[in-house]
Amino acid sequence: MTPSFDAVVCGAGPAGAYLAHLLSKKGIQTLLMDKARFPRYKPCGGGLTRRAIDLLPFDLSGIVEDWTVKARIGLRSCAPLAIEVPEPMIGMVMRDRFDHFLVEKAREAGALFWEGCAVGSIERTMDGFRLETGCGVVTARCVAGADGVMSRVRRCLGLSPNTAVPALEAEVHPRRGTDLDRFRMTVDFDFWAVPRGYGWVFPKADHLSIGVFSTDRKVPGMRRYLHAYLARKGISHGYEVRSIQGHLIPTGPPGTAGVVPSGAFLLGDAAGLCDPITGEGIYHALRQAEGVSCAMERHLAGDAAASSLYEDAVRREFSREIRPARRLAFLLYRMPWVSDRLLEAMGERIMGYHLDVIAGRATYRQVFRKALLPGTLLRVLPGFGGSRPDGMMPG
Ligand SMILES: Cc1cc2nc3c(=O)[nH]c(=O)nc-3n(C[C@H](O)[C@H](O)[C@H](O)COP(=O)(O)OP(=O)(O)OC[C@H]3O[C@@H](n4cnc5c(N)ncnc54)[C@H](O)[C@@H]3O)c2cc1C
């Protein structure tokens, strides 16, 4: 007999595992499946922002390896900024442990977990979906694609592949006698460590996760930029680079998230919406898991509008968060002569606004409005009343 479920969730990253937890808590019979066996490594900074942590109803103290209260921010053309806050702003996790923890939470809530089991194809049926997987055929009344940026589910549902930008991450361990004290409780972000992007150093319990991210899809030589960044941060003798792995971060296109047949949902990287400035994706994955769990519950209860309500929620989120963040990212990475002047004039204030976003106290829409008040532009930008530094031409 073909196993049959209320919901099948494909992919057990933060989006899928948390969705399976929420569905099971509601008493919905859920199968969670992942092509990998867990715990599995995932190239990721593992920076859980305050707003992501606040979404999770779990004690993360055994999982978070360092709580950061300081940020050192390197800028392109002006002095670096240093910020210190009283409350931790980012909790550092390793994704193998964090994702496994969420999968265990899903299982504790009653979800069935099939690991080492890839979804191959999905067909619409009269009363739901039929999935061919590495572990055989299953049927479900609802299906969720949480299978990451290269989502197979997304393709099976007839959507175009995600557009995505590259990121590269190294796990760097200290050799005997080297300590990590100078990196403890601190995040380093260095803008333009790579063209149209930034480099980061995130401290973990016994090592550092160091990476580079570019918003330029075709930037050549990411590995070269990563090595240059390691050297710039003084990571050479005394450290051992144990792995370097690349992965993609989705950046849209807008308006495709959730636009799938009734009863099918995309979330997390599969839906394509990460923070266009920083590449942060875990917060959006968890938030979408909440939205999909409510929509699936309504769909299973016979509400024909459930899918479109989820689409509306995604669109609202898009216009509140992603669209204004894209505009800011455009300014930061594509118009550096403008963003340099803004950061010179009000860098600390802008970083303060960004802290409000990652703490969940403000949206990017609010930041966009505050950072780009017409008065600010008048004061700061050449041609609008500000003075242009010698030799610097807009272009
Ligand atoms: C280098 C790098 C650094 C990053 N740093 C951060 C950071 O510090 N903070 C942050 O918030 N975000 C960060 N991100 C983004 C973040 O990693 C993603 O947004 C996040 O992992 C999305 O979660 P997800 O559950 O949607 O997908 P994923 O975590 O990608 O999980 C998808 C799962 O689906 C499984 N899968 C794939 N195909 C199939 C299939 N056919 N069948 C079954 N299972 C399948 C995979 O094995 C995987 O387990 C970073 C990304 C990169 C590349």
Side-chain angles (χ1 to χ4, degrees):
M1 250 209 8
T2 306
S4 188
F5 300 88
D6 290 335
V8 171
V9 180
C10 306
Y18 189 46
L19 173 62
H21 166 84
L22 293 171
L23 293 172
S24 304
K25 289 282 276 190
K26 292 175 193 280
I28 294 169
Q29 191 203 11
T30 304
L31 170 66
L32 172 65
M33 64 169 76
D34 199 290
K35 68 177 182 185
R37 293 197 170 274
F38 276 53
R40 55 99 179 88
Y41 177 77
K42 159 96 175 76
C44 178
L48 274 190
T49 54
R50 187 80 251 170
R51 61 180 177 168
I53 291 167
D54 288 346
L55 287 178
L56 290 172
F58 312 125
D59 173 11
L60 297 177
S61 54
I63 295 293
V64 171
E65 304 197 1
D66 200 12
W67 293 101
T68 59
V69 292
K70 288 181 267 181
R72 288 184 288 243
I73 297 155
L75 299 169
R76 198 175 80 115
S77 74
C78 49
L81 297 170
I83 293 175
E84 187 157 356
V85 290
E87 294 286 319
M89 52 186 146
I90 306 181
M92 295 297 168
V93 296
M94 285 304 291
R95 288 288 303 276
D96 52 352
R97 292 181 64 215
F98 176 65
D99 292 12
H100 196 215
F101 171 85
L102 293 180
V103 167
E104 286 307 309
K105 292 293 175 195
R107 290 167 91 149
E108 280 166 25
L112 194 62
F113 179 47
W114 288 1
E115 53 190 325
C117 179
V119 61
S121 66
I122 301 178
E123 250 174 61
R124 193 90 175 89
T125 60
M126 292 288 283
D127 52 358
F129 300 88
R130 179 181 182 279
L131 292 88
E132 280 185 16
T133 80
C135 308
V137 172
V138 296
T139 60
R141 291 172 64 201
C142 290
V143 67
D147 51 341
V149 60
M150 308 296 283
S151 176
R152 174 104 197 163
V153 174
R154 190 181 169 94
R155 268 179 289 149
C156 292
L157 295 174
L159 292 178
S160 56
N162 276 308
T163 48
V165 295
L168 199 58
E169 167 134 317
E171 305 298 345
V172 180
H173 289 252
R175 293 188 203 280
R176 263 164 77 117
T178 304
D179 66 46
L180 298 177
D181 288 354
R182 71 185 163 111
F183 296 106
R184 285 269 161 257
M185 300 176 83
T186 305
V187 280
D188 284 75
F189 289 103
D190 291 286
F191 288 95
W192 291 86
V194 55
R196 295 175 172 171
Y198 72 93
W200 70 86
V201 182
F202 285 1
K204 302 294 166 66
D206 62 352
H207 75 284
L208 303 168
S209 296
I210 304 181
V212 287
F213 156 79
S214 175
T215 56
D216 187 339
R217 272 194 280 163
K218 296 200 175 114
V219 67
M222 284 289 277
R223 214 166 247 267
R224 194 162 36 84
Y225 286 110
L226 177 61
H227 283 293
Y229 185 55
L230 291 172
R232 170 174 161 184
K233 302 308 282 186
I235 308 282
S236 49
H237 311 298
Y239 296 88
E240 183 193 344
V241 178
R242 294 230 179 124
S243 81
I244 296 184
Q245 282 195 35
H247 205 65
L248 294 171
I249 296 188
T251 55
T256 54
V259 187
V260 289
S262 174
F265 301 85
L266 290 174
L267 69 160
D269 280 8
L273 301 181
C274 275
D275 183 319
I277 298 175
T278 61
E280 175 190 8
I282 299 172
Y283 164 75
H284 294 287
L286 299 175
R287 231 180 112 75
Q288 288 168 1
E290 286 184 344
V292 172
S293 75
C294 295
M296 277 189 166
E297 185 181 29
R298 292 178 72 152
H299 178 83
L300 290 168
D303 181 348
S307 293
S308 57
L309 287 175
Y310 175 64
E311 275 173 39
D312 291 346
V314 171
R315 262 190 228 112
R316 271 197 306 279
E317 185 77 359
F318 181 79
S319 64
R320 200 169 45 215
E321 290 287 346
I322 306 291
R323 186 182 294 127
R326 272 191 192 166
R327 290 177 180 155
L328 290 167
F330 186 82
L331 203 64
L332 184 64
Y333 298 124
R334 306 279 153 163
M335 299 175 75
W337 64 94
V338 177
S339 54
D340 285 352
R341 297 303 308 272
L342 278 167
L343 288 162
E344 261 167 46
M346 46 185 291
E348 286 197 8
R349 205 168 342 143
I350 290 176
M351 291 307 155
Y353 295 153
H354 195 250
L355 273 181
D356 285 343
V357 169
I358 67 172
R361 292 188 293 264
T363 61
Y364 271 122
R365 186 158 56 191
Q366 290 163 328
V367 169
F368 184 79
R369 286 183 183 153
K370 281 191 206 165
L372 294 181
L373 283 173
T376 316
L377 288 177
L378 277 176
R379 222 169 352 101
V380 169
L381 294 183
F384 285 95
S387 59
R388 179 179 298 156
D390 288 346
M392 186 180 263
M393 292 292 291

